[in-house]
């Protein structure tokens, strides 16, 4: 039973990772963001695209933390190992994911073991994503200027 749960957990983690990577690559390449006119003011489409990308990454990493915590302790609350319900574990995973993605890092929940590596990757994505967003806007505006 333990091996089949491990296989299922890894399959879920790999699926979530593939979805997140595909979303990030699509965003960075400018997949769904195309300027439709000359107006260079705030675009609701671009804002919502960025918001959806952040939500996908936040939920994806939250699910990764949750799935990994089902096999062993991954997140420690206030430096204490605690047994929590599945709902509490899911909420802690999403909370930690959001705090890590936004690079806030309150310190009330701490990753241990392999979770530290995952948290570093997520924080790096959270740190780089705004720069990729701005770069995407600049490139889109330059491409629109050249095509005129």
């Amino acid at each position: 039973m333990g091996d089949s749960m491990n296989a299922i957990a890894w399959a879920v983690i790999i699926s979530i990772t593939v979805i997140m990577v595909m979303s990030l690559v699509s965003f960075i390449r400018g997949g769904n963001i195309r300027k439709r006119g000359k107006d260079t003011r705030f675009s609701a489409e671009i804002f919502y695209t960025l918001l959806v990308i952040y939500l996908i990454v936040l939920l994806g990493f939250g699910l990764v933390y949750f799935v990994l915590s089902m096999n062993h302790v991954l997140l420690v609350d206030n430096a204490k190992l605690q047994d929590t319900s599945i709902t509490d574990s899911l909420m802690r995973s999403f909370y930690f994911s959001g705090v890590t993605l936004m690079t806030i890092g309150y310190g009330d929940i701490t990753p241990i073991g392999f979770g530290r590596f995952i948290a570093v990757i997520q924080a790096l994505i959270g740190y780089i994503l705004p720069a990729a967003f701005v770069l995407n806007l600049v490139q889109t505006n330059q491409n629109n200027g050249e095509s005129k």
Side-chain angles (χ1 to χ4, degrees):
M1 176 97 176
D3 288 339
S4 65
M5 284 301 287
N6 268 344
I8 292 171
W10 280 109
V12 169
I13 290 169
I14 290 170
S15 300
I16 292 168
T17 303
V18 167
I19 291 170
M20 286 189 306
V21 167
M22 288 173 45
S23 297
L24 287 170
V25 167
S26 174
F27 171 72
I28 290 170
R29 287 186 176 172
N32 294 324
I33 302 176
R34 294 289 172 233
K35 213 69 159 144
R36 290 195 170 87
K38 296 178 184 179
D39 197 9
T40 58
R41 287 180 288 176
F42 178 80
S43 168
E45 178 185 1
I46 294 172
F47 174 76
Y48 291 130
T49 301
L50 184 63
L51 184 64
V52 167
I53 293 296
Y54 265 105
L55 285 174
I56 289 171
V57 173
L58 188 148
L59 295 174
F61 272 97
L63 288 174
V64 167
Y65 295 128
F66 176 71
V67 169
L68 286 176
S69 71
M70 299 312 305
N71 290 331
H72 55 282
V73 176
L74 184 69
L75 301 174
V76 178
D77 252 340
N78 298 317
K80 298 176 190 170
L81 296 176
Q82 299 177 359
D83 285 331
T84 58
S85 69
I86 289 178
T87 305
D88 287 342
S89 181
L90 186 63
M91 297 313 288
R92 283 183 338 136
S93 297
F94 287 139
Y95 166 76
F96 178 74
S97 178
V99 168
T100 303
L101 181 64
M102 302 304 166
T103 63
I104 297 170
Y106 290 125
D108 55 341
I109 298 178
T110 307
I112 58 174
F114 188 64
R116 290 179 177 178
F117 175 73
I118 296 170
V120 167
I121 297 298
Q122 184 181 15
L124 183 64
I125 290 171
Y127 192 71
I128 291 175
L129 199 55
F133 171 69
V134 170
L135 181 63
N136 191 325
L137 287 175
V138 168
Q139 287 176 339
T140 301
N141 285 338
Q142 284 179 347
N143 290 341
N144 284 341
E146 291 174 3
S147 64
K148 291 179 184 178

